[in-house]
Amino acid sequence: SASKFKENGKPGSEEAGAEKTGEVLARGPGVFEKYWNLPDKTKEVFTDDGWFCTGDLGIFKNDLLYLKGRACTLIISEGGEKIQPEEVENVYAESPIIAEIAVLEDEGRLLGLILPDKTQLDDARETDAVRKAVLEAVQERSHALASFKQLVDFFIINEPLPRTRLGKIRRHKIRQLYNDLRREKYLLDKDKRKKRAPAIEELDERDQKLLAQ
């Protein structure tokens, strides 16, 4: 079997991929020829000259191919930097406070869903105390990452992350979970705003005069 890169959407040679990350293409007796009765699917994953697009990202170093993750999970930062979620997750997961973490992008921001290890917390029942401990853990581990790989914000979750039978995070379900958490936070903040006493400048002129008496 042979391998090479596809860079910028175009097939390239092994040499062209040297010291650059690209999608790995494969061809040889160990690679299947096509999807049975699915010509459109076959066309999607094979180049015109018969190379199979694996969906894996890799880099050639000293004539050896190192896999760097999946193309479908790659995050592109606002500055154009490429980020593999697993790489970032592994760094934050080194904190004993963080039991599990999933990283995703939203509107150019890098966010995390974090399951705390409450056995490591002095007061795991207090929501504010848990968030404070997780925040400190995130800030501490962020020093080990380039600035564009650091979390901007995070949500705390109370259940383990959805995973495949092989233990891989189900990324599409992470996005759904994040959307649910964001909606829940929005509704909670909206409810708090309703219960908050209005500032004097928010009142009409008559009410302002009454308060001033």
Side-chain angles (χ1 to χ4, degrees):
S1 298
S3 300
K4 66 175 182 177
F5 281 128
K6 181 171 71 172
E7 298 178 304
N8 300 321
K10 298 179 180 179
S13 67
E14 178 175 324
E15 291 74 19
E19 300 301 321
K20 294 182 180 180
T21 300
E23 183 179 1
V24 178
L25 307 185
R27 183 169 65 182
V31 179
F32 74 108
E33 296 181 359
K34 61 182 179 180
Y35 287 105
W36 181 252
N37 287 335
L38 294 172
D40 291 339
K41 180 66 174 177
T42 299
K43 188 175 181 179
E44 286 179 13
V45 298
F46 279 90
T47 64
D48 293 338
D49 56 351
W51 288 85
F52 172 58
C53 303
T54 66
D56 291 316
L57 295 174
I59 185 170
F60 277 108
K61 289 184 179 180
N62 301 321
D63 296 325
L64 295 176
L65 175 61
Y66 295 85
L67 297 181
K68 303 290 287 184
R70 296 285 293 171
C72 61
T73 65
L74 187 67
I75 295 173
I76 306 298
S77 72
E78 286 186 308
E81 297 93 351
K82 296 178 180 179
I83 304 169
Q84 271 298 339
E86 284 189 11
E87 178 186 348
V88 177
E89 290 160 357
N90 290 339
V91 172
Y92 283 109
E94 290 181 13
S95 168
I97 299 297
I98 298 176
E100 294 187 41
I101 178 172
V103 170
L104 70 160
E105 177 271 340
D106 184 41
E107 298 180 351
R109 303 186 308 151
L110 205 61
L111 307 168
L113 303 185
I114 296 176
L115 176 68
D117 185 347
K118 294 186 177 181
T119 64
Q120 301 291 323
L121 303 175
D122 294 330
D123 194 347
R125 292 173 297 178
E126 289 292 332
T127 302
D128 290 343
V130 171
R131 182 167 181 83
K132 182 175 183 293
V134 173
L135 176 60
E136 291 174 352
V138 167
Q139 292 173 335
E140 190 275 327
R141 294 307 304 149
S142 290
H143 294 309
L145 291 163
S147 59
F148 67 89
K149 294 182 179 179
Q150 296 175 6
L151 294 184
V152 175
D153 198 0
F154 62 87
F155 284 88
I156 290 177
I157 58 176
N158 297 311
E159 299 292 336
L161 294 167
R163 296 179 182 272
T164 67
R165 287 180 296 176
L166 297 177
K168 295 290 185 180
I169 294 174
R170 295 183 182 272
R171 299 287 171 184
H172 66 287
K173 290 194 174 184
I174 293 302
R175 174 65 59 179
Q176 180 182 336
L177 176 58
Y178 165 69
N179 289 337
D180 290 343
L181 290 169
R182 189 176 63 171
R183 188 180 304 110
E184 181 180 314
K185 182 178 184 299
Y186 169 77
L187 293 175
L188 182 62
D189 290 345
K190 185 178 180 180
D191 186 55
K192 287 181 178 178
R193 288 194 298 270
K194 286 182 178 179
K195 293 178 180 179
R196 175 180 61 84
I200 189 169
E201 60 269 17
E202 296 174 346
L203 301 175
D204 62 34
E205 185 178 350
R206 184 178 59 179
D207 289 337
Q208 289 186 31
K209 289 181 179 179
L210 287 172
L211 286 174
Q213 293 177 356

